[in-house]
Amino acid sequence: FNILIDDKYADAYPQISILFLGILFLSFVNFFDSLYIAIKETRSAVKSTVLGAFLNVFINLIFIKYIGLYAASISTVISFFVIFIYRLYDINRFVKLKVDRKKMLICLSSIVFSLILHFSGFFFAEVLLFIEAIFFNVLLNYSFIRMFCNVIKTRFLKKSKKWLYKR
């Protein structure tokens, strides 16, 4: 971090990890935003955005004197999460979404685990985070990986049989 950014901004480094969680919720929020626009229901999008903005300011005002700069990043994550939950339930009035809560819980627990590892200062944290990323990606994409392997195996076997019969 010190190579790219001046030392004056070193206090902001721990905020990056917290804001990554906020980016996850922001991505979901933006997805729902596109659905609101597609169905011409922007009023609900505006309502949830204003709710999130007020919540962000409220949390900042309360906690800034106790936890300092962390209040800004934590309030951002909380407000994006609240907007996400609001839109998740509100959008179902118009579009029936099937949400795999198990996968969502796995993703959230993975991110929380990553944040804990990051802040622990554990020497092998980077290695554990890499292993965790591989594990959760395989777990979440197991059916796709299995299908992909079957397709490759089937095509490889067909080509190898053709090659054997040509000899």
Side-chain angles (χ1 to χ4, degrees), residues 82-93:
V82 168
I83 297 170
F84 161 64
I85 295 298
Y86 175 87
R87 288 185 181 184
L88 178 65
Y89 288 103
D90 185 59
I91 200 75
N92 277 309
R93 292 185 303 142

Side-chain angles (χ1 to χ4, degrees), residues 61-107:
L61 291 174
I62 291 175
F63 290 106
I64 200 94
K65 56 186 159 192
Y66 301 112
I67 56 177
L69 188 57
Y70 285 98
S73 51
I74 290 171
S75 67
T76 299
V77 171
I78 291 171
S79 62
F80 282 145
F81 178 74
V82 168
I83 297 170
F84 161 64
I85 295 298
Y86 175 87
R87 288 185 181 184
L88 178 65
Y89 288 103
D90 185 59
I91 200 75
N92 277 309
R93 292 185 303 142
F94 311 102
V95 180
K96 296 300 177 205
L97 293 177
K98 187 176 178 183
V99 177
D100 189 342
R101 293 183 182 175
K102 182 180 175 185
K103 283 187 178 180
M104 188 176 291
L105 187 63
I106 289 171
C107 287

Side-chain angles (χ1 to χ4, degrees), residues 132-155:
E132 177 208 16
I134 291 171
F135 174 75
F136 280 108
N137 278 306
V138 168
L139 183 68
L140 292 172
N141 297 303
Y142 179 75
S143 60
F144 174 76
I145 292 169
R146 188 176 170 129
M147 180 195 68
F148 181 75
C149 289
N150 286 335
V151 168
I152 296 297
K153 186 169 62 173
T154 305
R155 288 189 181 176

